[in-house]
Amino acid sequence: MAAVVKLGLEVFLEKRTHELEGRRIGLLTNQTGADSKLESAIRLIHRHPDLDLRVLFAPEHGLKTDAKEGEKFGDSIHSETAVPVYSLYGKTKKPTDAMMEHIDIAVFDLQDIGARYYTYIYSMAYLMEACARTGKKMYVLDRPNPIGGEAVEGNLIEEDFTSFVGLYPVPNRHGMTAGELALYFNETFGIGCDLEVVPMEGWRRSMLFPETELPWIPPSPNTTQLDMMLLYPGTCLIEGTNLSEGRGTAQPFEIIGAPFIDGVKLQDAVNSSALEYVKARAVSFTPSQSKYVGQACEGIQLHIVDRRQFQPFACFIRVLALIAEMYPEELEFLKYGNLKHPMFDLLAGTEKLRHAVSSGGVEAFLEQCRTDSDQFAENRKPFLLYS
């Protein structure tokens, strides 16, 4: 049975390849760049008689999405096609003029997961900047936002807190597709790229990923399934603390814990705090990688009760505030290397959230977030491609 949604890649191959005939193509993709029959965009474009694939660009995690978070890698040659692969997560995150000399057209085909921390949308923006700088055109082959296109939640990044996990002031859950974000970035932030978005057919803003009937290909090693992605706009913030976010377990970003936590006490505190559409369950786990490797941890797994109504950002902020209240001496916000700000602040896009968690002022912070997200929801309207 055919999928409900026809991907931008499929629309492009069926209807628009004539626009790129005779042009040298550079493709930014990874294993998620595939059609509904799981044929890779690399193979489909390379084998197409009218298309000339000259360069591949690889984002964080690499073409095969097997590199760990933050793991740098170098340039290579694609084994199947012998096309050069330029790393955009090694010596540079931005395509250089030397890379761009080999192409006339840039094409982007990557699966995003709907949270502003996810770096693929910023690799897209950097490629747009490179196209604008070198006079090249760019095509974005659109894909679904797997956690839907209606809900918007979170705060906007403050100017001094931009980074590769938050390049532009968009909320933690932005509710846009990559193609819509490309249009928004291009005009709102003055990139000036000659941009063409190839929309999907059949996608509706209300859709969660299973409703598309498309096969799910994990975009990164710890991107497991829908509930993980629904939690991620909140639980990704754990990376900036000394809590385990569940890396090295079967439920990354669904589990919160540490050796100093009593799982049953935390479970009971969360479940008595009147959080909506989610339940906490006490867990014990021993991570096989990342924080607390080989150490016994306790904590909770968050189980979503109602995917439509659940608000991941507000939920996690309240859970983190409970942990700060229960373990004020143990909870830490991490500072890495030469970073100007703690990692938590870069993920949060502000230092105000850290202070709110520490002082018990998260409700006032969340009220400001509602103002921010309402304003963003209004600002994004001219760039929405789907109803």
Side-chain angles (χ1 to χ4, degrees):
M1 185 173 67
V4 172
V5 172
K6 183 176 288 187
L7 296 164
L9 171 64
E10 295 169 322
V11 174
F12 167 72
L13 290 170
E14 287 182 15
K15 301 178 181 180
R16 303 189 59 174
T17 55
H18 64 278
E19 298 173 27
L20 275 65
E21 286 184 30
R23 316 296 295 278
R24 300 171 300 163
I25 297 170
L27 175 63
L28 172 51
T29 194
N30 63 13
Q31 69 168 0
T32 65
D35 68 9
S36 58
K37 297 179 181 177
L38 298 175
E39 284 285 346
S40 78
I42 298 172
R43 176 177 287 183
L44 290 167
I45 292 175
H46 183 258
R47 292 183 178 180
H48 194 286
D50 299 324
L51 300 177
D52 183 10
L53 181 62
R54 293 293 186 94
V55 165
L56 292 167
F57 297 103
E60 184 179 9
H61 306 295
L63 287 184
K64 298 179 180 180
T65 67
D66 55 353
K68 294 180 182 178
E69 68 285 352
E71 180 182 340
K72 298 185 183 302
F73 56 90
D75 298 342
S76 61
I77 299 294
H78 187 245
S79 58
E80 179 183 350
T81 64
V83 170
V85 181
Y86 291 124
S87 170
L88 298 184
Y89 208 78
K91 293 180 180 178
T92 180
K93 295 181 176 69
K94 299 182 178 183
T96 64
D97 288 359
M99 296 175 188
M100 299 299 288
E101 285 178 359
H102 302 287
I103 68 172
D104 305 306
I105 299 279
V107 176
F108 173 92
D109 188 22
L110 283 170
Q111 178 64 60
D112 183 44
I113 69 167
R116 74 152 181 246
Y117 328 103
Y118 218 61
T119 61
Y120 295 168
I121 57 175
Y122 307 125
S123 292
M124 175 182 72
Y126 282 152
L127 184 55
M128 290 164 58
E129 289 179 357
C131 285
R133 187 179 68 245
T134 58
K136 311 294 171 70
K137 188 168 185 173
M138 180 157 162
Y139 281 69
V140 173
L141 311 183
D142 214 5
R143 291 182 173 272
N145 183 324
I147 60 174
E150 295 182 330
V152 174
E153 191 188 1
N155 64 299
L156 301 181
I157 294 174
E158 297 171 10
E159 187 174 345
D160 192 44
F161 292 86
T162 59
S163 71
F164 199 51
V165 291
L167 197 58
Y168 297 115
V170 298
N172 308 62
R173 183 179 183 180
H174 50 70
M176 298 176 79
T177 67
E180 292 173 333
L181 283 169
L183 294 169
Y184 182 73
F185 292 164
N186 201 40
E187 183 164 327
T188 305
F189 304 109
I191 294 175
C193 174
D194 183 1
L195 177 66
E196 193 79 34
V197 175
V198 181
M200 297 171 281
E201 295 178 0
W203 191 73
R204 301 187 305 277
R205 308 208 74 79
S206 62
M207 283 182 169
L208 299 178
F209 195 82
E211 295 168 87
T212 68
E213 298 184 13
L214 292 164
W216 176 247
I217 304 172
S220 57
N222 288 284
T223 306
T224 52
Q225 44 82 35
L226 179 60
D227 283 355
M228 172 266 157
M229 290 184 285
L230 282 167
L231 287 160
Y232 189 74
T235 56
C236 179
L237 292 164
I238 302 171
E239 293 186 327
T241 73
N242 65 335
L243 300 170
S244 168
E245 62 274 12
R247 292 187 189 275
T249 77
Q251 290 94 22
F253 298 102
E254 298 178 54
I255 284 176
I256 303 167
F260 57 81
I261 284 180
D262 182 316
V264 172
K265 287 183 179 178
L266 181 57
Q267 165 199 274
D268 292 345
V270 169
N271 288 339
S272 64
S273 66
L275 288 181
E276 295 184 306
Y277 314 116
V278 68
K279 292 287 286 185
R281 178 179 65 87
V283 293
S284 300
F285 61 99
T286 302
S288 63
Q289 63 175 16
S290 195
K291 300 171 190 169
Y292 305 120
V293 174
Q295 296 184 53
C297 297
E298 288 192 14
I300 55 172
Q301 181 176 357
L302 294 172
H303 293 262
I304 300 172
V305 177
D306 186 331
R307 288 172 169 173
R308 295 284 176 194
Q309 301 296 323
F310 177 61
Q311 296 182 316
F313 183 72
C315 169
F316 174 70
I317 298 312
R318 290 174 174 131
V319 170
L320 186 60
L322 276 174
I323 294 172
E325 182 181 336
M326 295 172 69
Y327 301 97
E329 301 301 320
E330 292 87 355
L331 178 65
E332 297 177 6
F333 296 94
L334 304 177
K335 184 83 181 283
Y336 292 108
N338 297 319
L339 289 179
K340 181 179 179 181
H341 300 290
M343 187 62 191
F344 184 88
D345 293 2
L346 292 178
L347 290 164
T350 180
E351 63 182 19
K352 294 174 184 174
L353 176 55
R354 175 167 50 87
H355 295 317
V357 168
S358 300
S359 66
V362 296
E363 293 306 321
F365 180 82
L366 287 171
E367 187 59 38
Q368 180 58 51
C369 288
R370 283 187 279 274
T371 301
D372 284 358
S373 56
D374 287 348
Q375 183 60 59
F376 177 81
E378 188 65 28
N379 293 344
R380 74 177 190 161
K381 283 182 179 178
F383 307 99
L384 300 183
L385 299 172
Y386 313 91
S387 58

